[in-house]
Amino acid sequence: MRYFALLLILICGSATAHQWTPSHVELRPSYVSGIHTATMKFYNSRDDVEYYQVQVFDGRFNPIKFAIQGGSNSDVIHARHRQYKTVDVYVPSYEATRVVYICTRSMILKKFETASLVSSRICSKVINE
Amino acid sequence: MKKTMVVAIAAVFCSSAFAEDVPIIGNVESKCVITTDTQGVYGNPTPDELTTKLADGGVPAIVRYDVITADAYKARISWPDDFVSSPALNDTLAWEGDVTVDQVSDTQMSSYDTDKIEFNNTTEYDLEFAGSTWFKVGSTVNYGYDKSFPGGSYRSIIEAECIAK
């Protein structure tokens, strides 16, 4: 009798998630006209994930245009295990009143055989004046 | 006499000690940390079913939320509704799942399960109290109608979110 063995797959990984603070943040005018900005602190406490996607949403989780760091087209942060990063998020001033959530979401690489299978997302809320 | 004077002069210098206040400053910052506490494992009780139920040889995943400040966050946990990697499958998959509170660090959190909101494959909890909460996530998937899963590697994802209120 031939038996086919199914590999039992781990659903979840074994690492902690990242930290994204402050929990409540205020958008302030940037030194560049027409741009508002917020400074966030990021800490990667996961040893299996190094890439995180920054996302900006309105109250209904509709995406809003934004940029991070030096105005790069990429919205992805790269941080090694136990690395702190300060992330500046820039949004157009005409969108500033719509912004409600600034989030980071873990990005799991496909190639990892034993990849953690918990995708974590932490959102901070924007306090509008 | 000289000895007495030496002792007196030394006592004067010894009595003039300097003291300074050295503050310790701390700042409690509201934050949320998500930790995978227990790895989930799919059991294969029948050829057409993969499940995390203990009775069927599986292990449900447990995700822990640590919240520093009370009533500052809500948790949203979504059980899997698709494989992120698997052998080629040519029939439908029927997904089921559930999220329940497994352990709490504060007895007041026992109300979380009764107050939770469920929609689609997502369960939302209002984290009203500071501390740690362990959520158990179960997942079951059936393949076609009595069809056997082909041999190979199967991987699915749980999405755990912590959203500031």
Side-chain angles (χ1 to χ4, degrees):
Chain A
M1 185 178 287
R2 187 178 286 181
Y3 292 93
F4 292 96
L6 281 177
L7 294 177
L8 298 178
I9 299 302
L10 301 176
I11 297 178
C12 297
S14 56
T16 60
H18 60 287
Q19 294 178 21
W20 183 241
T21 53
S23 62
H24 293 80
V25 64
E26 201 171 326
L27 282 171
R28 63 184 189 281
S30 165
Y31 62 90
V32 176
S33 172
I35 300 290
H36 271 59
T37 183
T39 300
M40 307 296 296
K41 286 183 289 183
F42 175 83
Y43 175 63
N44 183 19
S45 51
R46 294 184 72 159
D47 58 2
D48 57 337
V49 177
E50 290 190 354
Y51 294 90
Y52 293 84
Q53 182 186 30
V54 178
Q55 300 169 312
V56 176
F57 299 108
D58 66 5
R60 294 190 176 187
F61 280 91
N62 296 316
I64 293 177
K65 188 167 54 175
F66 72 98
I68 60 171
Q69 306 295 56
S72 161
N73 286 332
S74 173
D75 54 1
V76 176
I77 305 169
H78 176 230
R80 285 184 294 276
H81 181 44
R82 294 182 185 166
Q83 185 179 5
Y84 273 103
K85 274 207 166 174
T86 299
V87 180
D88 291 318
V89 179
Y90 301 95
V91 296
S93 295
Y94 62 84
E95 298 273 36
T97 52
R98 278 185 59 211
V99 176
V100 177
Y101 298 110
I102 301 176
C103 310
T104 45
R105 185 178 69 91
S106 62
M107 300 181 76
I108 301 167
L109 291 180
K110 214 172 182 178
K111 64 176 185 178
F112 284 160
E113 289 299 321
T114 56
S116 170
L117 298 174
V118 171
S119 174
S120 55
R121 178 158 80 172
I122 299 178
C123 294
S124 295
K125 196 164 189 180
V126 172
I127 306 167
N128 288 317
E129 293 175 0
Chain B
M1 181 63 174
K2 281 186 183 175
K3 281 185 184 175
T4 308
M5 284 195 63
V6 166
V7 170
I9 291 169
V12 167
F13 279 110
C14 290
S15 65
S16 58
F18 291 98
E20 190 174 327
D21 290 332
V22 180
I24 298 176
I25 301 169
N27 185 31
V28 176
E29 196 172 43
S30 173
K31 65 181 176 186
C32 174
V33 182
I34 304 170
T35 307
T36 305
D37 195 75
T38 302
Q39 295 177 354
V41 176
Y42 275 128
N44 183 219
T46 57
D48 66 331
E49 183 176 322
L50 291 174
T51 180
T52 59
K53 292 176 185 169
L54 287 169
D56 294 328
V59 176
I62 296 180
V63 182
R64 189 181 91 221
Y65 277 69
D66 298 319
V67 174
I68 306 300
T69 308
D71 208 25
Y73 286 96
K74 54 186 176 186
R76 266 194 211 158
I77 303 170
S78 301
W79 41 267
D81 60 358
D82 201 2
F83 289 118
V84 293
S85 69
S86 67
L89 301 170
N90 54 16
D91 207 331
T92 56
L93 293 167
W95 290 87
E96 289 178 2
D98 62 342
V99 180
T100 53
V101 175
D102 189 53
Q103 289 182 68
V104 295
S105 64
D106 186 336
T107 53
Q108 295 178 90
M109 296 176 182
S110 55
S111 61
Y112 282 175
D113 252 343
T114 49
D115 297 337
K116 68 183 178 184
I117 299 170
E118 293 176 282
F119 53 95
N120 298 330
N121 64 325
T122 302
T123 305
E124 185 175 295
Y125 292 88
D126 191 359
L127 302 178
E128 298 176 275
F129 307 101
S132 300
T133 311
W134 286 258
F135 295 99
K136 185 161 65 179
V137 185
S139 172
T140 300
V141 55
N142 290 92
Y143 184 41
Y145 181 72
D146 285 342
K147 229 172 171 176
S148 299
F149 275 108
S153 167
Y154 292 82
R155 187 172 287 125
S156 61
I157 282 188
I158 291 170
E159 291 186 8
E161 299 176 88
C162 202
I163 300 168
K165 289 165 61 174

